[in-house]
């Protein structure tokens, strides 16, 4: 096999490159999880590597994308919303859609810490939702008060 860093040939059972010392991982994919808020406009998120589509993930879906070494992935829906992140083989990426600002968040974790990252993302989404509900109620109350005063 080839070293993912320097590209030189090394033994298939190597854990480290004998030429540059880079740790060689046996995994050759990243796992992407589409935890997004319930946004009807999002049906699919397209995954691009070097400008080429390498996968599609549905809301709350899971997909694996092959990567041989560290690279940058782009996550995109429609023509206006996207985000990028650097990934390495074995990474787990949790996507979440920030409804407040209309963009994506990416959380890079691993298989062992994924559940904790998911719980934090869900808690953050819940807090955001509560904030916007309170903001909307205050906005309505202020509007009613203004109409009552100047009405």
């Amino acid at each position: 096999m080839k070293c993912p860093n320097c590209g030189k040939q090394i033994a298939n059972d190597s854990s480290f490159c004998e030429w540059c010392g880079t740790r060689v991982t046996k995994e050759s994919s990243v796992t992407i999880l589409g935890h997004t808020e319930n946004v009807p406009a999002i049906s699919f998120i397209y995954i691009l590597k070097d400008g080429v589509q390498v996968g599609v993930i549905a809301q709350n879906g899971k997909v694996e994308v092959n990567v041989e070494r560290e690279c940058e992935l782009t996550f995109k829906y429609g023509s206006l919303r996207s985000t990028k992140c650097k990934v390495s083989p074995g990474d787990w990426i949790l996507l979440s859609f920030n409804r407040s600002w209309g963009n994506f968040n990416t959380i890079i974790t691993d298989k062992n810490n994924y559940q904790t990252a998911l719980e934090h993302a869900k808690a953050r989404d819940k807090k955001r939702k509560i904030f916007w509900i309170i903001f909307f109620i205050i906005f309505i109350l202020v509007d009613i008060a203004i109409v009552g005063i100047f009405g």
Side-chain angles (χ1 to χ4, degrees), residues 75-88:
F75 305 96
K76 196 172 189 183
Y77 88 91
S79 59
L80 300 175
R81 306 284 188 238
S82 68
T83 190
K84 296 178 181 184
C85 70
K86 289 197 183 281
V87 298
S88 297

Side-chain angles (χ1 to χ4, degrees), residues 91-128:
D91 284 347
W92 282 47
I93 296 97
L94 178 62
L95 296 175
S96 88
F97 184 76
N98 179 336
R99 187 187 307 211
S100 306
W101 301 107
N103 60 4
F104 287 117
N105 294 308
T106 56
I107 301 168
I108 299 175
T109 184
D110 58 30
K111 186 175 183 177
N112 298 328
N113 296 310
Y114 156 70
Q115 197 61 41
T116 303
L118 178 62
E119 289 168 11
H120 285 294
K122 286 183 176 183
R124 184 192 65 226
D125 291 348
K126 186 175 181 179
K127 287 178 186 176
R128 256 192 217 121

